[in-house]
Amino acid sequence: MSVEANLDLGDVDEHELPAGSPHLVADLRDKLMATGRSWGVRVFAVLIGLGLWYWAARVHLDFYIRFDNVPSPVIVGEAFWRHLHETKFYIHILVSMRRILFGYILAAVVGIFLGLIMGRSRFARDFLTPYIELLRPIPAVAWIPLAILMWPTEESSIIYITFLGALFPIVLNTIHGVEQTPEVLVRAAQSLGARRVQIFWHVVIPAALPSIAAGLAIGMGVSWFSLLAGEIISGQYGIGYFTWNAYSLIIYPDIVVGMLMIGLLGTFCTYGVRLLTYPLLAWQRRAR
Amino acid sequence: MVAQVVKLEKPAHSTLPSPAPRVPPQKGHVLINRVAVIFGRGAGAHAAVEETSLDIAPGEFVCLLGPSGCGKSTLLNCVAGYVAPTRGSVTVDDVPVTKPGPDRGMVFQQYSLFPWKTVLDNVAFGPRVAGRHDGEAIARTFLDMVGLSRFAKRYPGELSGGMQQRVGIARALANYPSVLLMDEPFGALDAQTRVMMQENLLRIWSEFGITVLFVTHDIDEALFLADRVLVMSASPGRVIADLAVPLARPRSPEIATEDAFIRLKRQCLERIRVESMRAFDQMNQ
Ligand SMILES: Nc1ncnc2c1ncn2[C@@H]1O[C@H](COP(=O)(O)OP(=O)(O)OP(=O)(O)O)[C@@H](O)[C@H]1O
Ligand SMILES: [Mg+2]
């Protein structure tokens, strides 16, 4: 074997490449079909649920759970349609969205910050863990009296409650992500001359990102969940207030409208969070 | 190609061509001075490396050979700065090792590229954290050297194991270290890829004249690569033999079938066998 041949071995054979590119069109078609099928199943599932609900309300189902006072989907649909033509309904939605936005963004910033320092510093971890563990199981509703006493305005106490809801999942997931940073990557960065801050920025945070993104998505769901509790305080606006008001006025269809609206908005916002974190995790999807 | 046997430590054979007519390396002098590493305390204390002293010359290619658990990685990590010796000290070019640093490039056994950075950004990482603005140009040079320029924009997860290790080597070299530390870097690769990687490494080494400390448990690999093989034995971990490998360079894989190679291999096996017998006898006394 000649020396030239040895040097050539340094180059890469094509077969070392991951397969894929020539079948791009076929791949895309398969992907679209899979997505279409998946959505078909989802719509079908919702239709089945609606059908069962309609049937149960229609026959006044009374088999352990009772449907005789539950409004049928048709009545709820009509109520929903009516509200869609009222400006006030949109104000309820916008006011709630604003509260979520403030509470959630605050929770994201504080939660990621606390999670990062708790994940990297033993002292911060020991110092903050009792607070996190003690406060975490307290449901949002239980906070209402204190929130009213502590915060200067109604608005700030509601935002505080949505903030708390989102905070814990974000903190815990961030800590988990930081802990999962492979030691060998930290060592590699050290031997390449990176300082502590650089290791934090280039290694620890990216390693924790998938977990942080999961925490952010969960946190969004929980903050909507807490909003309903928080808006008990509210005097006039918010989708949670709308639901409580319907409850006290015994307007059953509106209760369901409010509930569905919270579900829809929560899903929509969680999807938004996933969409925002999606580009940050591109490297993960490209791994084979 | 016919390999010639050259006694490197005795430059008496003036008739034979010297392997590479280059300036002898000035940097990369590793001195391991009575280093011992003990893990744990009290009753649980366990000597991973027994008092060991080594003097590795600039530009030398040294293999640490030994069975699993004999303390190869621990000794290497003392030079890298990840493990602080319990006793003794390590110096590189007369500077005591206290922590990891860019003067000692490290290539790990497991894949250790940053999966969120492209191949190019991985290689440019060292120069960039050092504040250099030509990180990308340096990275391209080194990617070229390991034959992976075309994969600059890929992510590590998209590459094969062998390719990832080559990027790892390029990344370690991009800091222009004086010592390259390699901990079973080809252990996870198939035999064919491994041979290719070994030749590649020797080529890079001869271009750079860098000191290499290479950990392996494969005798053939050690003899093919090294100027000098340090045989280690387990419990407690210590160097039991220091063998010169006076095989001519450049070397090609066929060298493994030559008499000189086989003689060295036999010598090596003999040392290992004698030592393990002795250890076995000691244990049974
Ligand atoms: N951080 C540590 N704490 C305690 N014991 C350790 C530690 N690191 C290594 N050891 C022990 O020291 C001994 C030598 O380990 P080392 O990793 O150096 O072996 P090795 O020769 O590299 O083995 P292998 O070929 O399997 O990588 C082993 O018995 C191991 O259990
Ligand atoms: Mg090891």
Side-chain angles (χ1 to χ4, degrees):
Chain A
M1 191 189 278
S2 71
V3 177
E4 284 75 21
N6 289 353
L7 293 182
D8 276 344
L9 279 170
D11 233 85
V12 177
D13 294 333
E14 279 300 334
H15 67 254
E16 255 193 281
L17 276 167
S21 22
H23 311 292
L24 216 63
V25 179
D27 277 0
L28 195 68
R29 199 186 52 216
D30 287 355
K31 219 177 208 165
L32 278 177
M33 272 172 69
T35 313
R37 203 171 310 133
S38 167
W39 276 102
V41 173
R42 287 169 203 201
V43 171
F44 181 64
V46 171
L47 288 179
I48 287 189
L50 282 175
L52 282 174
W53 175 13
Y54 178 77
W55 169 78
R58 179 77 185 266
V59 302
H60 297 293
L61 183 74
D62 185 2
F63 183 71
Y64 195 67
I65 48 169
R66 292 166 41 196
F67 269 79
D68 36 3
N69 279 322
V70 175
S72 93
V74 179
I75 296 171
V76 172
E78 279 168 9
F80 192 53
W81 188 249
R82 208 170 45 249
H83 286 304
L84 281 184
H85 291 88
E86 294 166 358
T87 324
K88 201 160 179 202
F89 191 62
Y90 292 98
I91 296 177
H92 284 309
I93 291 174
L94 284 177
V95 166
S96 286
M97 289 285 266
R98 200 184 59 189
R99 287 169 180 157
I100 289 285
L101 204 71
F102 284 155
Y104 179 78
I105 288 177
L106 211 63
V109 172
V110 174
I112 292 174
F113 177 75
L114 288 181
L116 289 177
I117 62 168
M118 284 175 79
R120 282 310 274 185
S121 143
R122 173 108 235 152
F123 177 77
R125 163 89 59 101
D126 291 341
F127 192 89
L128 292 169
T129 298
Y131 292 95
I132 302 280
E133 290 303 324
L134 218 66
L135 298 180
R136 190 159 65 99
I138 301 172
V141 197
W143 272 105
I144 292 170
L146 263 186
I148 295 172
L149 289 176
M150 285 162 62
W151 294 91
T153 62
E154 227 168 52
E155 201 59 24
S156 53
S157 42
I158 296 170
I159 289 173
Y160 173 67
I161 287 171
T162 58
F163 160 81
L164 273 186
L167 183 69
F168 297 112
I170 295 175
V171 172
L172 294 175
N173 273 278
T174 306
I175 296 174
H176 178 70
V178 171
E179 279 176 346
Q180 279 195 318
T181 310
E183 187 54 30
V184 68
L185 296 186
V186 175
R187 286 187 165 197
Q190 284 173 340
S191 90
L192 291 167
R195 291 184 300 275
R196 266 182 81 98
V197 192
Q198 289 167 326
I199 290 175
F200 207 74
W201 185 250
H202 290 283
V203 182
V204 176
I205 291 179
L209 260 184
S211 189
I212 294 176
L216 286 174
I218 299 168
M220 180 50 95
V222 182
S223 75
W224 274 98
F225 182 93
S226 314
L227 181 78
L228 183 81
E231 288 185 342
I232 294 180
I233 307 167
S234 166
Q236 36 191 337
Y237 290 115
I239 198 72
Y241 165 76
F242 171 90
T243 313
W244 284 115
N245 193 44
Y247 182 61
S248 39
L249 298 176
I250 329 182
I251 311 170
Y252 292 135
D254 281 5
I255 298 174
V256 184
V257 169
M259 286 165 65
L260 285 178
M261 212 50 221
I262 291 171
L264 278 174
L265 290 170
T267 307
F268 171 73
C269 289
T270 306
Y271 184 72
V273 170
R274 286 198 198 283
L275 219 60
L276 284 176
T277 52
Y278 196 75
L280 296 175
L281 304 174
W283 57 271
Q284 252 193 344
R285 289 185 299 276
R286 284 179 61 175
R288 43 173 191 159
Chain B
M1 204 187 84
V2 180
Q4 290 126 339
V5 179
V6 187
K7 280 251 184 260
L8 284 180
E9 68 273 33
K10 283 180 200 155
H13 305 268
S14 50
T15 48
L16 296 171
S18 71
R22 58 177 152 82
V23 193
Q26 304 295 308
K27 282 171 63 187
H29 179 207
V30 180
L31 206 60
I32 296 175
N33 187 22
R34 306 174 66 137
V35 161
V37 181
I38 298 165
F39 287 115
R41 282 217 181 98
H46 161 80
V49 177
E50 211 182 41
E51 196 173 290
T52 302
S53 293
L54 291 171
D55 189 336
I56 297 168
E60 207 171 12
F61 198 125
V62 176
C63 278
L64 271 178
L65 175 70
S68 184
C70 70
K72 306 182 295 290
S73 297
T74 306
L75 192 56
L76 192 80
N77 286 341
C78 288
V79 182
Y82 300 126
V83 171
T86 313
R87 286 193 301 275
S89 65
V90 178
T91 61
V92 173
D93 295 326
D94 299 323
V95 180
V97 170
T98 54
K99 60 179 194 312
D103 58 322
R104 285 149 289 139
M106 184 82 191
V107 181
F108 300 87
Q109 174 170 13
Q110 321 93 296
Y111 304 134
S112 59
L113 300 178
F114 306 120
W116 42 83
K117 287 184 187 293
T118 59
V119 163
L120 186 75
D121 288 339
N122 262 283
V123 181
F125 183 81
R128 281 181 185 154
V129 294
R132 297 183 67 142
H133 298 290
D134 53 352
E136 177 164 346
I138 295 176
R140 288 204 180 275
T141 311
F142 282 94
L143 275 181
D144 216 27
M145 183 171 290
V146 297
L148 291 176
S149 312
R150 286 187 293 134
F151 298 86
K153 292 293 173 195
R154 299 287 191 93
Y155 283 92
E158 299 176 281
L159 307 185
S160 73
M163 290 155 85
Q164 289 192 40
Q165 275 317 52
R166 280 149 78 180
V167 178
I169 294 170
R171 183 177 69 173
L173 290 173
N175 274 329
Y176 297 97
S178 47
V179 183
L180 190 60
L181 305 170
M182 308 182 86
D183 193 351
E184 301 193 38
F186 310 144
L189 305 177
D190 61 85
Q192 264 176 297
T193 312
R194 184 157 49 209
V195 169
M196 189 194 80
M197 297 285 289
Q198 288 164 355
E199 292 194 75
N200 211 299
L201 175 64
L202 281 185
R203 185 170 56 83
I204 291 169
W205 170 73
S206 70
E207 273 173 39
F208 267 78
I210 188 178
T211 307
V212 178
L213 191 51
F214 187 107
V215 165
T216 180
H217 55 245
D218 181 343
I219 298 186
D220 289 290
E221 183 170 62
L223 291 176
F224 176 63
L225 292 173
D227 292 325
R228 186 175 160 199
V229 175
L230 302 169
V231 183
M232 285 186 78
S233 117
S235 47
R238 65 200 191 284
V239 175
I240 55 166
D242 187 341
L243 295 168
V245 184
L247 300 172
R249 295 183 189 274
R251 297 173 186 171
S252 73
E254 288 77 39
I255 206 173
T257 60
E258 286 168 17
D259 291 342
F261 188 96
I262 293 166
R263 259 198 310 279
L264 279 166
K265 187 171 174 179
R266 186 175 302 139
Q267 209 178 328
C268 217
L269 284 166
E270 194 69 13
R271 286 312 306 260
I272 294 169
R273 202 173 62 89
V274 169
E275 273 307 315
S276 39
M277 294 289 279
R278 207 173 54 88
F280 190 75
D281 287 346
Q282 268 178 359
M283 253 163 46
N284 288 323
Q285 265 169 19

